[in-house]
Each structure stands twice: as structure tokens, then as C-alpha cells.
Amino acid sequence: MKKAVESLTLLLISAVLLTSCLGEEEEVVKTSTVALLTFSLDDMKTTRTKKVNGRDTTYTYTTVGSRYAFTIDHTKGLVTNKDSIPYGTKVKITANVTADGYIYYEKEGERVTFSPEDSIDFSQPVVFTIVSQDERYSRDYRVVVNVHHQNPSVTYWNEVKGADFPAGLFMDQKAVTDGEWIYVYGITENDEVYVTYTAIDDGAHWTEPVALSGVDGEVDCHSVMSFDGIFYLLAEGNLYSSVDGVVWTEVSTSLTLKSLCAVAQGDSSMVWGVNENNTFVSSVDMVNWTSNGQIVDNILEGRISSLSYALKTNPNIYRTLFVGVPHESSDTCAQVWTKLSTEDNWQLMTPAVNNAYGCPLLENLTVIRYAGNLYAFGGKSLNERQVPIEAFSAFFESRDNGITWRIRESGLSLPHHFRGLDDTFSTVVVGDYIWIIWSHSGQVWQGFWRGE
């Protein structure tokens, strides 16, 4: 009997203790803190149209939402993505949101409770409201989803209206920039060289053309270049410099130059050229020149495109190229010379005769670097090729640093009405814009392509 009473007593004590514990678990403390903690979008569908074999083709692919990070600014109450989502992406999508508090968002002017299954239209800013658990405090966050609004399959060209560039004055010309101004040097019908310039944010107002002063002999206008804030050019093998691009002074050097062909950039900037013996030479001060002993066979003449840029894989290494039409050639392609800053010699990327993928041999051939790749364009073909090329019909793109060149079918393109033009021009890339300045018509055009 005694044992039965003791057992009953223990059972009653346990029940009381259990009831007490259960009561403590049911007591929930509601906090006053309120904050949006994380925000991301789920995977989205992107629809694009591009030309494939000359035809418009529409295709859809998945854009991974987690690749686009959102920054939460608690002070401004702003949530946004730095890297814009691709053009053509539908941003009516579900989102992943966590917060310290209850989550609501504004839908059609009303506040509704957020659910991870909700498909929300983020094409316009959406206001999320976080309410503290004790419902005493709240905070609004404005979610702005950045999406590219320009189609990467389209190049946007704009003619600078009312441009007073001297139409018909130049028979040939070259454009250079010092970062603030765009200068155009041109040869007149009387073999005189004039210069006119405009601000890089203008393009409509050009200075009155003036003849270069201080230069003796025939000027090679395609040799004009800017190096360390100074302009340089060649006149009958002699080197001249200028601070303002108008008044020139001869530079005392111990050699005669045939061309100024490239500028190597980086911490140890230098200029490359070719001397009278068809040998590569380089200089860091434009006065003292060093020969690397390498002979240039079949020297390039006339318009030479020079480019220099850091490697994507190693920004401390620079690749320098110069591209142009050789003096004598039976090939159907232009010559492309290239050199890394870690190499001693230049390499000629010699294409085979009738190579369909070499750099095209075009009248007034021009090569630019834009959106991370090389692009060649110009007038009509200078000789026969497997595929005839109409003047200013397309950009030829090289994604392997000048080895192969293929017509860009979509994306970066020239205006259709440029096709077949018989005109000289000059080109310069300033920031995100390609400038094309026509000699005879005097038209000034700016092209922009977002890239892919």
C-alpha cells in the first residue's frame, strides 16, 4: 500500500512539472526588430531574336536568377541589382525573400501577404513592407530590378544633326582622340594637310580647318598618333611632335621612320615603328629608338590600324597589333602583325591565298577594338575573294586576336544605307561609341552596341 501511494505521488509531481514546462513553451516573445535580410529572383525565361544564316530566328533560354546579386540598402530602403538582367527577360517571376518580421508587398495598390509561390511583376518597382512581430514597427523597401532595355542584336546609330564638319575638303583623313577632343587630320586635293576638331561630347561643332604649321615635306596623315599626351606624325620619314595638334616641332632622332605602327600600353608604355631598313624599332621617349633586329617583309603602307590592350586572362600582359594592306601581295587578305609584351619578336599571321577567314583586304581598311573583340570594315574589296564584299556591308569580327575573321550577322552592324558608299572616312572609338566621319558628305555618325 505504501509503495502504491509513493508511486501515485511521483506521478502527480511529474504531471505538475510537465504542465509547467508546457506552459513555458507556449509563451512566445514577439520582437520589435524589423529588417529585410535577403532578396533574390528565381530562374527566368529570356526570349531573343537574332539572324542565323541571314534569317531572323527566335529562341528562348533560361536565365539563372541566382547569378544576379541584389544589394539591400537599409538606409535608403532600396533593393537593386548592379548587373542588369539580359534584354528580353520576363521579370514576372517568383522571388526568395527573408526578413526579420512579417513580409508584405504592394499589389495593385493594396498590401498583400508575401508568399514564395507568388508571381510578381518586377517590370516596375515593387514596394515590400516588413512589419515587426509585435506589429509596432514597419519599414518599406523599394525593389528595383534592372533589366537591359537595348537589344544586343541591334546597333543603335545616330547621325549628329547639323554637324559642320568640312564636307568635301579632305581626300583622305584620320581621326585620333586625346580623351577630351576628337581631331581629324585630312589631305586636301592640293596635298595640304589640315586639322579640325570637336569635343567628345559634341560632334556637331567643328573648328575651322587650319593647315599644320612647322612641318616640312609631305605629311603622312595616317601616321598621326597620341602618346603620353603628345601628338606625333611623320613627314617624309622625319618625326614631329605637337602639344595642341596644330603647331609642330621636329623631333631629333637618329633614324628615318617609314611608319608609326603601334603603341604598347601598360606600366612601361612604348611606341613601335618601322625604320627605313624595314626593321621593327621601339621607343619609350620618341627620341631614342631600339631595333629588335626583326625585318618586316612586304611592308604595310598607307592606312595602318594599331591596337594595344591588356589580356583578359592577365591584365599585366599587353597584346599589340597592327593591321593593314601590304605594298605587294597576291593574297586576298590583309596582314595582321601581333606581339605580346612578354615576347621579343612580332608574329605575322599569314593567311593562305583565298583564305575565307583571313582579315579582308578592303579599300580604306579600318580595324577597331570594341566590346572586347576586334572588328574590321571598309570599302570595296581590293582583289578577288571567295565571297565578294560590298563596300561597308558588314563588320568582320575576330574573337581570337586577329587569327580568323567572320562576318558579324547580328549585333554589331553598320547602317544599311552605308552599303555601297564610295567615300573616304575616319573612325575613332570613344568610350562606348564608334564615331564614323565621312569626308565627302561631311556626315558624322555615332554607333552604340551593348555587346553580349
Side-chain angles (χ1 to χ4, degrees), residues 294-401:
Q294 185 180 5
I295 302 296
V296 184
D297 293 327
N298 201 1
I299 185 67
L300 302 182
E301 292 184 342
R303 184 182 295 231
I304 300 176
S305 297
S306 301
L307 309 102
S308 193
Y309 51 90
L311 300 186
K312 297 178 182 178
T313 54
N314 189 339
N316 296 317
I317 300 177
Y318 278 75
R319 178 180 296 279
T320 304
L321 300 95
F322 72 98
V323 186
V325 178
H327 177 65
E328 296 179 0
S329 177
S330 59
D331 286 346
T332 58
C333 303
Q335 285 190 1
V336 179
W337 289 85
T338 179
K339 191 184 86 67
L340 294 178
S341 56
T342 54
E343 298 174 336
D344 295 327
N345 290 335
W346 290 79
Q347 177 184 359
L348 174 61
M349 297 180 181
T350 306
V353 176
N354 298 325
N355 177 10
Y357 299 112
C359 185
L361 201 60
L362 305 176
E363 188 175 78
N364 294 322
L365 172 66
T366 297
V367 178
I368 61 173
R369 187 169 186 266
Y370 187 74
N373 292 316
L374 302 176
Y375 294 92
F377 71 104
K380 61 184 179 181
S381 303
L382 292 179
N383 51 25
E384 295 301 321
R385 187 181 168 94
Q386 287 180 335
V387 180
I389 301 172
E390 185 180 8
F392 307 106
S393 58
F395 281 104
F396 288 77
E397 180 186 59
S398 176
R399 298 190 176 190
D400 50 15
N401 299 304

Side-chain angles (χ1 to χ4, degrees), residues 7 37 153 164 176 182 188 198 223 250 279 290 299 315 345 359 385 412 431 440:
S7 298
L37 301 179
S153 297
D164 55 8
V176 297
I182 296 174
T188 68
T198 185
S223 69
E250 186 173 357
T279 304
T290 302
I299 185 67
N345 290 335
C359 185
R385 187 181 168 94
L412 187 61
H440 298 161

